Amino acid sequence: MDAAIEKSLKELCTVFLKENAMINLSAFRTEEACWVGNILDSLAFQDLELSPSPPTSALASLGSTVGKPAPSLKILDLGTGGGFPLLPLAIVNPEYKFTGMDATTKKIEAVKRIADAMHLTNIELIVGRAEDAGHDPKLREQFDVVLSRGVAEIATLLEYCAPFVKPKGHIVLWKSLHIAEELKNSMLARAELSSHLIKEHAYELPGNFGKRQLLVFEKASKLSGKYPRGNGEPKKNPLH
Ligand code: SAH
């Protein structure tokens, strides 16, 4: 890891732990637990090398990309809580534009204070519920990638996330390895929300954090306006 980036990530840990001591954002309360459980876990995303979803106009995709800088991605972290995976990924990918969303105002306020302390200029923050914000034309189908860690089961998460993703864009979910049942129960949600599982990326964290995985879904086409359903529905009544 680049030394300057590592220094920023260590500083993020320190700033985060100060906020965490004031309001409850995460169970990881020591530098070591925060470093592995929050920072390194978030950075597993870097292994995926996702590319931007193609432009909707065929003309816009013409022309050589040789010599041009790496394209920017628009990324949403849904249910960002205390700012993971949002904050570490915004530090290591300054060329990408990040949005963090959470239903809880005090968590978003804490993430704003952390982002300001870290002088991060590539992050926007929104207080909102996925079920409402997913119908907002300024957010609907606007993101290349939607991320979510520790928020809900897969069927519920696909209904939260898919409305924000551009067609051909991706959804990345942080999960444990023991999800056979959850995956089976997401078949209907995957079909209804045209979200196809394209990759299961397993990784291992040091110490007793152990093995985890990222699930990557590709959204094939635009969604029906009926998704997401109303407040609480995707969780109470998942598409099983
Ligand atoms: N991603 C963070 C936080 C996980 S806790 C981490 O991994 O540390 C789950 C978060 O999801 C909570 O902060 C909660 O407020 C948020 N959340 C749950 N349901 C939501 C919904 N429907 N819309 C927006 N945020 C939601």
Side-chain angles (χ1 to χ4, degrees):
M1 192 187 292
D2 175 273
I5 297 231
E6 182 166 351
K7 189 163 170 273
S8 286
L9 292 169
K10 294 269 185 208
E11 189 185 336
L12 169 63
C13 242
T14 308
V15 176
F16 172 79
L17 286 172
K18 273 195 201 132
E19 282 290 336
N20 201 30
M22 295 188 286
I23 58 169
N24 188 18
L25 297 169
S26 146
F28 301 133
R29 302 194 172 278
T30 63
E31 291 275 345
E32 172 66 15
C34 181
W35 179 253
V36 181
N38 280 333
I39 309 276
L40 295 185
D41 192 44
S42 298
L43 295 184
F45 174 80
Q46 296 301 112
D47 303 339
L48 295 177
E49 295 180 353
L50 295 176
S51 51
S53 24
T56 30
S57 142
L59 265 181
S61 63
L62 289 177
S64 164
T65 53
V66 178
K68 291 187 185 160
S72 182
L73 291 180
K74 273 188 78 180
I75 300 185
L76 172 70
D77 182 16
L78 200 153
T80 191
F84 298 99
L86 175 76
L87 294 165
L89 294 183
I91 290 173
V92 299
N93 300 294
E95 72 283 20
Y96 295 171
K97 291 195 174 73
F98 288 87
T99 301
M101 184 168 79
D102 202 281
T104 307
T105 308
K106 75 173 176 53
K107 291 191 181 179
I108 288 295
E109 286 171 352
V111 177
K112 172 97 179 65
R113 287 192 294 272
I114 300 169
D116 286 348
M118 299 294 303
H119 307 293
L120 293 172
T121 54
N122 57 340
I123 294 185
E124 271 182 44
L125 294 164
I126 301 175
V127 177
R129 287 196 67 82
E131 298 94 315
D132 302 321
H135 290 287
D136 179 343
K138 291 199 288 298
L139 298 169
R140 192 173 172 91
E141 304 196 312
Q142 297 298 311
F143 294 89
D144 298 292
V145 185
V146 178
L147 317 172
S148 197
R149 188 183 85 154
V151 175
E153 67 165 288
I154 297 163
T156 303
L157 276 177
L158 291 177
E159 188 167 354
Y160 286 167
C161 295
F164 296 98
V165 185
K166 294 178 190 173
K168 307 282 179 249
H170 297 95
I171 297 168
V172 179
L173 307 181
W174 272 247
K175 286 284 164 187
S176 76
L177 292 186
H178 316 288
I179 51 159
E181 187 75 12
E182 239 188 88
L183 260 182
K184 204 173 76 199
N185 287 338
S186 70
M187 295 300 285
L188 180 63
R190 289 190 244 171
E192 277 290 297
L193 301 160
S194 72
S195 300
H196 307 293
L197 181 62
I198 58 163
K199 196 182 270 185
E200 296 167 75
H201 171 72
Y203 58 97
E204 188 162 8
L205 294 176
N208 49 17
F209 282 87
K211 289 200 175 124
R212 297 160 180 237
Q213 63 180 331
L214 298 180
L215 298 182
V216 185
F217 296 85
E218 185 167 287
K219 176 171 153 183
S221 53
K222 276 181 94 125
L223 282 196
S224 150
K226 71 180 177 192
Y227 296 117
R229 291 168 294 157
N231 265 356
E233 266 314 284
K235 186 166 182 162
K236 245 188 315 187
N237 243 329
L239 296 166
H240 283 181

